[in-house]
């Protein structure tokens, strides 16, 4: 079991969306202090003000996680000004639009992979050695259902989230093999009502998840050292259905009949 009480929690992309909710919930569960990294200064100021008004200890840092120099600099500041991080939630992520791969720019490929994949590894490298040394810690990596499933209109996003899944599971096994007592949870949700995927077509097999419920599941997952947090049920079943069905049957049933391969058709994403 990982105790949240009296811990220092760092959430990337913690100024809004599920990152904000997971941070709030960790504080509600008795975390000593919350470190928030986010690129959006206005949201960061607003979140910090709201949480401090509730007498929580919050340390906000404006940081673009696509910038390795900024990651290193901010991590050093956190370590010297705040202290060691006990729970790291690698949450910041982006999608650049509903685009066929041939329409992608090289810059959009790099930005997606840098923020959604590379940043998680670089940030973890900054905090994991101290966790190992201290004999405690928990790393949460937000992948996606798109990290277990391929989907038209989001090929680069899928690539970034599959990579997170593979890396996250590898470090979990490494850390367990070495009996470090540092735990890893990989999170694979389908669409969530944060606005990031506004406009997507959902259906009863793939309902729009409520951000509060998903965030609460992740926090429960931290407390109980869950290896995976997957939602909804269809996502839990993916390893089984993908393994059992021939690929053309999977395309037909999940892709066509359940409408997953059309889900990005109405995508608008966050306004602006
Ligand atoms: N919303 C969904 O349907 C959904 C589904 C599955 C997985 N996810 C994943 O969950 C995570 C959070 O998603 P969300 O829906 O809360 O998104 P969101 O867009 O509501 O919030 C993301 C937060 O990350 C911050 N951020 C973005 N780029 C950043 C950068 N370069 N540096 C620092 N901060 C940055 C944003 O400012 C924002 O506060 C993402 O990794 C996303 O891929 C989301």
């Amino acid at each position: 079991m990982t105790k949240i009480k009296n811990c220092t929690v760092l959430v990337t992309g913690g100024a809004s969306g599920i990152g904000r909710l997971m941070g709030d919930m960790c504080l509600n569960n008795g975390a000593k202090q919350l470190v928030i990294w986010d690129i959006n200064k206005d949201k960061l100021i607003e979140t910090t003000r709201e949480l401090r008004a509730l007498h929580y200890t919050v340390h906000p840092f404006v940081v673009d996680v696509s910038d390795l120099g900024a990651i290193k600099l901010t991590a050093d500041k956190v370590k010297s000004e705040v202290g060691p991080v006990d729970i790291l939630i690698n949450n910041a992520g982006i999608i650049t639009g509903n685009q066929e791969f041939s329409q992608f720019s090289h810059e959009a490929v790099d930005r997606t992979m840098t923020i959604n994949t590379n940043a998680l590894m670089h940030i973890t490298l900054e905090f994991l050695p101290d966790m190992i040394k201290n004999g405690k810690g928990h790393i949460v990596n937000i992948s996606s259902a798109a990290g277990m499933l391929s989907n038209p209109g989001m090929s680069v996003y899928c690539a970034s989230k599959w990579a997170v899944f593979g890396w996250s599971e590898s470090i979990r096994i490494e850390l367990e093999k070495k009996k470090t007592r540092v735990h890893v949870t990989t999170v694979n949700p389908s669409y969530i009502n944060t606005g990031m995927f506004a406009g997507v077509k959902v259906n009863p097999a793939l309902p729009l998840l409520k951000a509060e419920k998903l965030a609460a599941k992740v926090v429960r997952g931290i407390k109980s050292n869950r290896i995976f947090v997957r939602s909804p049920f269809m996502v839990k079943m993916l390893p089984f259905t993908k393994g059992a069905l021939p690929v053309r049957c999977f395309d037909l049933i999940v892709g066509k009949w359940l409408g997953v391969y059309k889900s990005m058709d109405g995508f608008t994403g966050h306004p602006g």
Side-chain angles (χ1 to χ4, degrees), residues 233-247:
F233 184 68
M234 197 198 91
V235 176
K236 284 189 187 155
M237 294 301 290
L238 270 177
F240 172 75
T241 43
K242 288 202 81 169
L245 293 174
V247 65

Side-chain angles (χ1 to χ4, degrees), residues 18-267:
I18 58 166
R20 160 80 203 254
L21 292 165
M22 292 185 292
D24 288 8
M25 287 173 194
C26 285
L27 288 169
N28 269 323
N29 275 269
K32 182 171 70 181
Q33 48 192 352
L34 176 66
V35 182
I36 307 175
W37 286 17
D38 207 290
I39 196 172
N40 187 326
K41 192 177 176 188
D42 293 341
K43 285 257 167 70
L44 193 59
I45 291 172
E46 188 185 314
T47 297
T48 305
R49 199 184 49 234
E50 286 173 12
L51 290 174
R52 284 184 179 162
L54 298 170
H55 307 291
Y56 288 127
T57 306
V58 181
H59 306 274
F61 294 88
V62 178
V63 49
D64 177 352
V65 299
S66 70
D67 178 347
L68 179 55
I71 289 176
K72 288 180 175 173
L73 203 77
T74 317
D76 284 347
K77 270 194 201 166
V78 170
K79 285 183 252 185
S80 62
E81 292 170 17
V82 181
V85 167
D86 305 301
I87 300 173
L88 167 63
I89 306 181
N90 278 313
N91 164 76
I94 58 158
I95 175 133
T96 54
N98 172 19
Q99 278 166 296
E100 284 174 19
F101 183 66
S102 58
Q103 309 299 314
F104 253 86
S105 66
H106 294 290
E107 292 72 24
V109 170
D110 283 351
R111 188 153 178 80
T112 305
M113 297 304 293
T114 306
I115 294 171
N116 289 7
T117 311
N118 298 5
L120 283 71
M121 298 189 243
H122 292 306
I123 296 166
T124 300
L125 272 178
E126 290 298 317
F127 297 103
L128 181 59
D130 280 343
M131 289 182 182
I132 295 173
K133 203 168 71 197
N134 297 338
K136 63 172 182 149
H138 201 122
I139 296 163
V140 178
N141 295 310
I142 308 293
S143 174
S144 168
M148 302 168 70
L149 182 76
S150 303
N151 201 15
M154 53 157 77
S155 56
V156 180
Y157 182 81
C158 279
S160 71
K161 295 296 186 178
W162 277 73
V164 168
F165 183 79
W167 162 74
S168 185
E169 265 295 88
S170 300
I171 63 164
R172 175 192 61 87
I173 298 162
E174 257 177 35
L175 293 166
E176 284 179 0
K177 231 175 119 184
K178 285 212 150 184
K179 302 195 189 332
T180 59
R181 286 195 282 173
V182 178
H183 304 280
V184 179
T185 298
T186 308
V187 182
N188 300 93
S190 75
Y191 299 121
I192 313 165
N193 68 351
T194 57
M196 183 183 190
F197 281 92
V200 291
K201 285 187 189 156
V202 292
N203 56 58
L206 207 67
L208 193 62
L209 302 175
K210 290 196 172 72
E212 286 78 8
K213 277 196 174 171
L214 193 270
K217 263 191 189 175
V218 177
V219 173
R220 283 199 301 276
I222 295 172
K223 291 203 275 189
S224 55
N225 291 341
R226 288 277 297 275
I227 294 172
F228 299 122
V229 173
R230 292 170 170 164
S231 192
F233 184 68
M234 197 198 91
V235 176
K236 284 189 187 155
M237 294 301 290
L238 270 177
F240 172 75
T241 43
K242 288 202 81 169
L245 293 174
V247 65
R248 293 284 179 207
C249 291
F250 186 88
D251 283 353
L252 187 70
I253 297 169
V254 177
K256 198 167 175 191
W257 293 347
L258 293 180
V260 172
Y261 293 174
K262 280 190 172 171
S263 59
M264 281 293 282
D265 285 1
F267 173 93

